[in-house]
Amino acid sequence: MKQYIGIDLGGTGIKGAVVREDGEILARQTCPTRPQRGPAAVAEDMAAMIRTLGRGREVAGVGLGCPGTVDDRAGTVVYACNIGWVNYDVRRVLEDTGFTVRLVNDANAAALAEAAVGAAKGARSAVVVTLGTGIGGGVVLDGHLLTGFTGAASELGHMCIVADGESCACGRRGCWETYASATALIRRTEAAMAAHPDSALHRIARAKGGVDGRTAFAGQEAGDPAATRVVAEYIRYLGVGIANLVNIFFPEVIALGGGIANQGETLLRPLRAQVQSQEYGSAYTKKHPRIVTCTLGSDAGVIGAALFAAEKPE
């Protein structure tokens, strides 16, 4: 069985792993990113990691999962704002290791992993949505990533769900991530606390050392009306975006990742009802996508990057 190396480049840390083509991780390594040193220094760290992981192994290729827009044909990171890279030729440095290197967006890599060996294993089509600081994800059709002709496809969080709505960091208004990311949920929880000084949300936040994506759900579980309204509004906005994805792709599986997805059926049960009611032809449709949580956790990025190395270049 072939082995590949996957590298997951993040803003704070770099993860590397040797991965079999069935998704099993055989070896791991990590190091801090420290992007302030510049792209050359970070790339050299990744090259050293590749050399270490590949030593004494028959490695069929290397995949690099990177934030932002990547150009796999050119071997460049076109734009990655959180690490400050613009049009950086990272492949030139990494191929000095002697291995062939493929580039893929990090969220797309995670989506490929979940589709191949994770929550959507066995499905012909899947959309993976990550609910974090923003909303990311990827689309896998017939086992292959949808990357678009620039490599920047599947910026799921930047579909507009509210015309002329709240400002998004991308420069548009009304983007899905401004309403359904963990950041948005925290912001709405804090607003509810300010409006309701007697809410149980204050006690819950104090006990946890601050407000996070779990606070509103904990308040709902405690029977707090303000928290219940926050959760209901959040799920409504989340449902609008997922219903849009269903109506565009109608995949077999929608898999949710990120901390909020850890709420499990408390989130998924009402979300499924929201989405199904908004599906095109829902009154007549016999089959609906399965909405589930991701299963690979923090390993999805390195596994997906490795599996991408096995894909044929377009």
Side-chain angles (χ1 to χ4, degrees):
M1 193 172 290
K2 291 183 178 179
Q3 301 176 18
Y4 298 87
I5 292 175
I7 303 293
D8 184 10
L9 173 62
T12 58
I14 303 168
K15 300 176 185 176
V18 179
V19 182
R20 278 196 331 207
E21 57 188 346
D22 63 356
E24 183 178 349
I25 293 178
L26 304 177
R28 301 174 185 268
Q29 191 172 354
T30 62
C31 71
T33 307
R34 295 177 289 163
Q36 68 276 9
R37 298 175 298 152
V42 175
E44 287 293 349
D45 283 350
M46 292 191 291
M49 184 178 289
I50 292 168
R51 292 187 186 97
T52 300
L53 289 169
R55 190 170 297 127
R57 299 179 182 271
E58 291 188 13
V59 174
V62 176
L64 168 62
C66 182
T69 304
V70 302
D71 185 340
D72 182 47
R73 292 182 181 178
T76 60
V77 176
V78 179
Y79 179 57
C81 61
N82 66 339
I83 56 175
W85 290 17
V86 178
N87 292 322
Y88 181 63
D89 186 359
V90 66
R91 178 179 287 155
R92 179 184 55 79
V93 178
L94 298 186
E95 288 196 338
D96 283 346
T97 61
F99 297 109
T100 300
V101 179
R102 302 286 309 281
L103 273 62
V104 62
N105 170 270
D106 56 352
N108 282 345
L112 180 60
E114 291 289 351
V117 298
K121 182 179 179 180
R124 289 179 60 86
S125 58
V127 176
V128 175
V129 180
T130 55
L131 305 171
T133 303
I135 292 181
V139 178
V140 179
L141 304 176
D142 290 326
H144 298 286
L145 277 171
L146 176 67
T147 57
F149 81 101
T150 66
S154 303
E155 286 289 349
L156 307 182
H158 297 288
M159 74 171 104
C160 178
I161 66 166
V162 179
D164 300 319
E166 296 180 22
S167 296
C168 179
C170 77
R172 299 185 72 200
R173 286 185 173 274
C175 288
W176 189 27
E177 75 172 37
T178 65
Y179 293 87
S181 63
T183 304
L185 177 57
I186 291 169
R187 186 173 64 250
R188 293 185 185 281
T189 302
E190 291 172 339
M193 292 170 64
H196 301 279
D198 297 329
S199 168
L201 289 168
H202 294 275
R203 171 179 53 80
I204 293 167
R206 282 195 300 270
K208 298 294 185 181
V211 178
D212 59 22
R214 297 165 293 185
T215 305
F217 285 94
Q220 176 181 251
E221 186 177 354
D224 183 75
T228 300
R229 286 191 293 272
V230 169
V231 170
E233 183 180 49
Y234 174 77
I235 292 175
R236 179 165 63 87
Y237 283 124
L238 182 60
V240 169
I242 292 178
N244 288 345
L245 295 174
V246 171
N247 290 336
I248 294 168
F249 299 108
F250 228 102
E252 290 182 55
V253 177
I254 299 264
L256 304 183
I260 293 175
N262 293 333
Q263 297 299 321
E265 288 300 313
T266 301
L267 170 70
L268 296 179
R269 192 177 299 110
L271 179 62
R272 292 185 186 112
Q274 287 270 356
V275 172
Q276 188 168 324
S277 70
Q278 297 177 64
E279 289 175 9
Y280 177 75
S282 62
Y284 309 100
T285 301
K286 302 296 184 183
K287 297 180 179 179
H288 303 277
R290 290 187 290 118
I291 301 177
V292 299
T293 54
C294 293
T295 60
L296 299 178
S298 60
D299 288 334
V302 288
I303 294 173
L307 296 180
F308 187 73
E311 295 222 330
K312 293 182 180 179
E314 294 184 359

